[in-house]
């Protein structure tokens, strides 16, 4: 391949998740449940401690004290309080009734699980206080309830490692078998050290604010860093009862800085997400909606009815609940697979992709008129949420940052659905959902409303087609390429644009020339 046609590559430090289904033994399943319950208890304990401080602060304010001396504990404060509490608290066993000084069951689980749960509790309160300062509506963090909250816990440290192609080692639990092979991650971990892309193997970086030269924090001024290292692992159980391990790996990987010839041939494209078709492209291509939940709705309804007839606490109810959970897990896996295929095809075939940025959750709550029957509103919202529009948009942003495609997300209030793609005239009122055809009152253009929106988005994408920063997202959320924690649903947010790398440097794992 000639140098003109070869895609430009550069190395970046990023975090990537590797998810594996586990096959634990019955004893390991009990250990998983114990760790999940301990993490839930520690989280609720941390939430309660901060709530007590907040109540004490309110009491002092009500008593007329202008500056209360109550301190709100953070993550490290909660960890210190937890250590003192577990060693000195009077604990009564609910099965035997025996009272002991100290909590005996704490030592049976990994200590990092409690630290991670307390960090999550402190983070929940930080988000609450931040929302209050900005004026947003926010309630206090809620307690996690067994049976309702997802069973999950976190692990870290040297005990968390890949043993071989089919086994992983978990701290305090031991070696656990995996369904999928771990060879891909094992090969990255076995690469050893590579030149640090942050400081370009010099060990020093220049502070953009002060202009001073300081040591590189990624490689600790060594000039090289591990090609990959495991940061943490999250073990969680899905609705079907299967346990999964999601490994957060910090690695050095290649990303494209410019589109490939195939992407340049596809050019810019506008994508209108919807319910009838998952995506309508400005080129006229339609991506059909598989409607996975609708196709399984009869079986889900039958399983739900069988569950409602079972008495609470019975074994038959537990089996019926697991049967219903397997159906929901199957629907989720089918939806995720179809979205991954659709977004990957879009990323590898176009250089610039423009999508709408409207809020799916807000649309489901407020889009339908209140005078519609409740059943019709419910069916509309179910069909909208079954499409997975928010997940598809997130996948486009994250994949575009790696594969050289610029993903443009419009403002959530942009009038793309009311604007004419031919003359640019914007209608004053939204188009009713029952109207499939768009008619422009100014130029008389008449075409499908979804195709019209896609063409409006294509015009937005064409404005960024000649931008030199290929592979960057216009609406990147400002987060670093090394996020500190995943979102609540386990996924990492879209990364900030990869850092620049001068041309002419070597391939991954080799010194630059």
């Amino acid at each position: 391949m000639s140098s003109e046609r070869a895609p430009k590559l550069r190395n970046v430090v990023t975090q990537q998740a590797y998810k594996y289904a586990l096959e634990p033994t019955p004893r390991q399943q009990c250990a998983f449940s114990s760790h999940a319950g301990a993490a839930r208890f520690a989280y609720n304990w941390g939430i309660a401690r901060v709530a007590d401080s907040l109540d004490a602060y309110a009491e002092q304010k009500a008593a007329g004290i202008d500056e209360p001396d109550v301190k709100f504990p953070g993550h490290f404060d909660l960890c210190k309080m937890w250590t003192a509490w577990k060693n000195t608290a009077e604990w009564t066993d609910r099965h035997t009734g025996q009272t002991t000084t100290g909590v005996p069951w704490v030592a049976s689980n990994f200590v990092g699980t409690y630290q991670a749960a307390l960090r999550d509790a402190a983070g929940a309160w930080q988000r609450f206080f931040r929302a209050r300062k900005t004026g947003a509506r926010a309630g206090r963090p809620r307690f996690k309830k067994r049976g309702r909250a997802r069973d999950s816990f976190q692990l870290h440290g040297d005990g968390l490692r890949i043993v071989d192609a089919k086994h992983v080692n978990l701290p305090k639990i031991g070696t656990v078998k995996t369904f999928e092979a771990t060879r891909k991650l094992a090969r990255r971990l076995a690469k050893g050290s590579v030149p640090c892309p942050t400081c370009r193997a010099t060990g020093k970086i220049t502070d953009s604010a002060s202009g001073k030269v300081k040591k590189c924090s990624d490689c600790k001024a060594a000039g090289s860093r591990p090609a990959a290292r495991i940061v943490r692992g999250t073990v969680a159980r899905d609705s079907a009862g299967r346990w999964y391990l999601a490994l957060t790996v910090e690695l050095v990987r290649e990303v494209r800085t410019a589109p490939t010839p195939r992407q340049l041939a596809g050019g810019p494209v506008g994508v209108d997400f919807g319910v009838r078709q998952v995506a309508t492209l400005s080129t006229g291509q339609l991506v059909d909606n598989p409607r996975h939940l609708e196709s399984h709705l009869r079986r889900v309804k039958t399983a739900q009815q069988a569950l409602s007839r079972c008495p609470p606490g019975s074994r038959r109810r537990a089996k019926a609940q697991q049967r219903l959970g397997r159906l929901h897990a199957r629907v989720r896996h089918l939806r995720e697979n179809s979205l991954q295929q659709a977004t990957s095809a879009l990323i590898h075939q176009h250089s610039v992709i423009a999508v709408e940025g409207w809020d799916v959750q807000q649309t489901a709550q407020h889009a339908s008129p209140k005078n519609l029957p409740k059943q019709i509103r419910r069916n509309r919202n179910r069909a909208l949420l079954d499409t997975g529009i928010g997940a598809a948009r997130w996948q486009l942003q994250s994949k575009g940052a790696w594969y050289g495609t610029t993903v443009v997300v419009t403002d959530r209030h942009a009038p793309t659905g009311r604007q004419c793609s031919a003359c640019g005239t914007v209608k004053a009122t939204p188009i009713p959902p029952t109207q499939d055809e768009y008619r422009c009152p100014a130029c008389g253009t008449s075409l499908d409303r979804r195709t019209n929106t896609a063409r409006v988005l294509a015009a937005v994408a064409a404005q960024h087609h000649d931008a030199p920063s290929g592979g960057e997202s216009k609406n990147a959320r400002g987060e670093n390429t090394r996020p500190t924690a995943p979102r609540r649903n386990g996924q990492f947010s879209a990364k900030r644009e990869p850092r620049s790398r001068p041309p002419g440097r070597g391939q991954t794992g080799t010194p630059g020339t």
Side-chain angles (χ1 to χ4, degrees), residues 46-123:
I47 292 294
R49 299 290 78 76
V50 182
D52 294 341
S53 300
L54 190 61
D55 294 339
Y57 181 89
E59 290 178 0
Q60 292 188 13
K61 291 289 288 185
I65 302 177
D66 295 335
E67 297 182 359
D69 56 353
V70 179
K71 179 183 177 182
F72 296 101
H75 172 216
F76 295 105
D77 298 326
L78 289 176
C79 291
K80 294 178 181 178
M81 296 168 60
W82 171 267
T83 303
W85 173 83
K86 72 181 180 65
N87 294 328
T88 60
E90 297 292 332
W91 182 265
T92 302
D93 191 283
R94 61 179 180 178
H95 299 293
T96 62
Q98 183 180 1
T99 302
T100 59
T101 301
V103 186
W105 52 265
V106 172
S108 60
N109 300 309
F110 180 59
V111 63
T113 298
Y114 303 111
Q115 297 172 359
L118 294 175
R119 183 188 63 227
D120 294 341

Side-chain angles (χ1 to χ4, degrees), residues 40-51:
R40 183 174 57 250
F41 182 91
Y43 177 86
N44 293 339
W45 186 91
I47 292 294
R49 299 290 78 76
V50 182

Side-chain angles (χ1 to χ4, degrees), residues 353-372:
I353 301 176
V355 295
E356 293 179 305
W358 48 273
D359 194 319
V360 180
Q361 185 176 3
Q362 291 292 330
T363 303
Q365 293 178 354
H366 306 292
S368 299
K370 298 301 182 182
N371 56 356
L372 285 178

Side-chain angles (χ1 to χ4, degrees), residues 207-229:
D207 190 0
S208 58
S210 62
K212 297 181 179 180
V213 178
K214 59 181 183 180
K215 295 181 180 180
C216 178
S217 59
D218 284 346
C219 64
K220 298 181 181 179
S224 62
R225 54 165 296 120
R229 70 178 185 91

Side-chain angles (χ1 to χ4, degrees), residues 159-178:
L160 181 61
R161 63 182 185 272
I162 303 294
V163 178
D164 53 36
K166 296 289 289 185
H167 294 85
V168 295
N169 187 80
L170 304 181
K172 205 74 176 185
I173 297 175
T175 303
V176 184
K177 186 178 180 181
T178 61

Side-chain angles (χ1 to χ4, degrees), residues 256-270:
R256 295 176 188 165
T257 61
T260 62
R262 180 185 178 187
Q263 293 170 333
L264 290 175
V269 68

